[in-house]
Amino acid sequence: QVQLGESGGGLVQAGGSLRLSCAASGRTFSTMGWFRQAPGKEREFVVAIAWNGLTYYAASMKGRFTISRDNAKNTVYLQMNSLTPEDTAVYYCAAERSGSYYWGSQAIADFDSWGQGTQVTVSS
């Protein structure tokens, strides 16, 4: 059974950093990514990474957030720096939908394996 599990969320002060982890089991995914959902807002794309390390970011995330993966451990990471209260959200790990995903997609519908989410709260 395919499972994705996030960890590493928590409460930090503005300007601080967190590193999120997402461990996958069941199979290895070619492309994995991160989404987030803030209170009162729809889920939005953050970043994705391919098996070979190629990445694409939402424009507002590039420069502060960095995605990486360890294929041997079947794990993807999200390093978040210079956090602001606007980054407060539930962060979700996701993997591509086989047969319909295309490189560069930021659409929720193109990802069909999801973790349960980890809460990130940034205080002023």
Side-chain angles (χ1 to χ4, degrees), residues 85-98:
E86 289 71 35
D87 295 316
T88 295
V90 177
Y91 284 72
Y92 296 91
C93 180
E96 86 281 6
R97 181 184 297 275
S98 298

Side-chain angles (χ1 to χ4, degrees), residues 45-57:
F45 173 82
V46 177
V47 63
I49 185 169
W51 66 271
N52 59 4
L54 293 176
T55 62
Y56 61 97
Y57 292 80

Side-chain angles (χ1 to χ4, degrees), residues 35 95-98 100-101 105-114:
F35 289 73
E96 86 281 6
R97 181 184 297 275
S98 298
S100 63
Y101 171 81
S105 175
Q106 300 185 14
I108 294 172
D110 286 332
F111 297 79
D112 69 349
S113 296
W114 295 86

Side-chain angles (χ1 to χ4, degrees), residues 7-8 15 26 28 42 55 59 70 76 85 92 104 107 111 122:
S7 63
T28 299
E42 296 185 348
T55 62
D70 185 335
V76 65
Y92 296 91
F111 297 79
V122 185

